[in-house]
Amino acid sequence: MADSSGEFVRSPNHFADRITSDGSSRWPVEPGRYRLVVSLACPWAHRAVIVRGLLGLEQAISLAVVDPIQDERSWRFTLDEDGRDPVLGIGFLSEAYLKADPGYTGGVSVPAVVDVPSGKLVSNDYPQITLDLSTQWREYHRPGAPDLYPEPLRAEIDAVVEPIFRYVNNGVYRCGFATSQQRYEQAYEGLFAELDRLSERLAGQRYLVGDSITEADIRLFTTLVRFDAVYHGHFKCNRHKLSEMPVLWAYARDLYQTEGFGETVDFDHIKRHYYQVHRSINPTGIVPLGPDPRAWLTPHDREVLS
């Protein structure tokens, strides 16, 4: 929602409990106990889908996918038989929120980690969820799983992702949901200034930090993969399309063509959610047919930077 100045303000994550391996929280790491609820349309949830798959945690943490179209009760399980999640037995994600806090009246967001035995929401703290999958669930990673948050690089990763969140991940929303020209222009300038900085950084190196994929790349990818399909037109982020920014376009295609990335992208869910749910921006609800997703499979030639 926008404040009195017209600036989009993202709501804080109300549920920030952590699942830990050392007994420091009330939620222990336990395979089969938790269910990750996501929307394939949502960039914040998309991060968790990618990390779960790259680390091989599919058997340890089950996955639920909600309908990309919300109603007044927010995310719903209408893709499942009888409109109920087969594991949690609920029709709306809000039911897990209310089991955790019966007096809760805030928004319902994904990703959400739910405790299956109690049906209670554990966390909707999307930045911490993926970090904990990398660090707390290490015992259950597949053999040879990548280290997406290596200790020697954590300070650099944290420093790189902070402006990515501020100006890119959240910046596109600050453009799209601004209600004043001034706030929109400020967000627009910040977004493209950061994309220019990232282009310079990636011109000579394949990944954002170090010589392999890290949490930083995943956080940037989920915004970039939605850029031309949604943010360029729908959110008025239209200085350039991603496909007109050579370095970032090649970088994004490189990740898309990496196992664990492209197969998690659902452009149908992405476009239907943004264009049909955000009626204040797109009153007709018409979903554009383009762009052609086959462009994501064209050669990127970034292997030479490895």
Side-chain angles (χ1 to χ4, degrees):
M1 61 185 303
D3 64 15
S4 59
S5 73
E7 169 84 4
F8 169 73
V9 179
R10 182 166 296 280
S11 300
N13 299 314
H14 181 76
F15 297 88
D17 280 0
R18 295 179 60 196
I19 299 168
T20 58
S21 59
D22 61 0
S24 60
S25 77
R26 65 189 179 115
W27 305 105
V29 167
E30 185 180 320
R33 177 170 176 174
Y34 304 101
R35 191 151 173 83
L36 175 64
V37 181
V38 303
S39 163
L40 300 181
C42 171
W44 318 101
H46 192 182
R47 300 174 177 184
V49 175
I50 293 172
V51 171
R52 172 180 173 268
L54 290 177
L55 299 179
L57 289 170
E58 294 94 338
Q59 299 304 312
I61 305 169
S62 64
L63 185 71
V65 177
V66 295
D67 195 307
I69 308 302
Q70 299 160 285
D71 66 14
E72 66 278 1
R73 291 165 291 185
S74 194
W75 300 110
R76 51 194 186 152
F77 292 99
T78 46
L79 301 180
D80 295 300
E81 188 176 356
D82 299 325
R84 306 187 78 80
D85 179 79
V87 173
L88 299 173
I90 57 177
F92 296 87
L93 180 56
S94 58
E95 296 174 58
Y97 276 65
L98 291 173
K99 281 191 177 181
D101 180 358
Y104 181 68
T105 58
V108 177
S109 64
V110 287
V113 179
V114 180
D115 176 52
V116 174
S118 68
K120 294 180 179 180
L121 177 71
V122 175
S123 176
N124 68 346
D125 188 10
Y126 58 86
Q128 192 62 51
I129 287 172
T130 51
L131 296 181
D132 284 346
L133 291 178
S134 286
T135 59
Q136 303 302 309
W137 289 82
R138 191 176 297 275
E139 181 182 352
Y140 301 99
H141 290 182
R142 64 173 174 82
D147 189 346
L148 301 174
Y149 196 50
E151 283 198 56
L153 298 178
R154 287 180 188 177
E156 185 177 0
I157 291 171
D158 293 346
V160 167
V161 300
E162 195 283 327
I164 289 175
F165 168 78
R166 182 185 301 273
Y167 298 112
V168 181
N169 301 146
N170 197 47
V172 293
Y173 286 85
R174 291 173 57 230
C175 290
F177 290 116
T179 57
S180 77
Q181 186 69 31
Q182 179 186 16
R183 293 303 191 188
Y184 160 71
E185 291 183 8
Q186 289 173 345
Y188 175 101
E189 296 297 339
L191 165 64
F192 283 100
E194 180 61 17
L195 290 178
D196 288 342
R197 286 190 290 268
L198 291 168
S199 290
E200 292 178 10
R201 183 183 185 93
L202 289 164
Q205 61 190 67
R206 191 171 184 182
Y207 304 114
L208 282 169
V209 181
D211 57 6
S212 61
I213 292 167
T214 67
E215 175 82 15
D217 299 295
I218 295 165
R219 293 191 183 194
L220 180 56
F221 173 78
T222 59
T223 296
L224 294 183
V225 79
R226 289 161 173 76
F227 202 90
D228 288 3
V230 175
Y231 303 140
H232 177 269
H234 187 56
F235 278 178
K236 307 178 186 70
C237 302
N238 60 354
R239 191 194 76 178
H240 291 103
K241 296 177 182 177
L242 175 66
S243 58
E244 296 167 344
M245 295 181 274
V247 172
L248 289 178
W249 176 223
Y251 164 79
R253 297 200 319 279
D254 185 6
L255 291 175
Y256 184 90
Q257 294 170 33
T258 298
E259 185 176 0
F261 283 80
E263 60 267 34
T264 68
V265 177
D266 191 317
F267 285 115
D268 173 63
H269 278 221
I270 290 168
K271 291 195 295 183
R272 285 197 293 124
H273 170 72
Y274 281 94
Y275 289 103
Q276 293 188 325
V277 172
H278 300 160
R279 291 302 179 101
S280 63
I281 301 175
N282 185 40
T284 64
I286 292 173
V287 180
L289 292 178
D292 188 342
R294 290 175 295 182
W296 283 93
L297 298 176
T298 57
H300 52 77
D301 301 322
R302 285 184 61 84
E303 301 92 339
V304 297
L305 297 176
S306 294

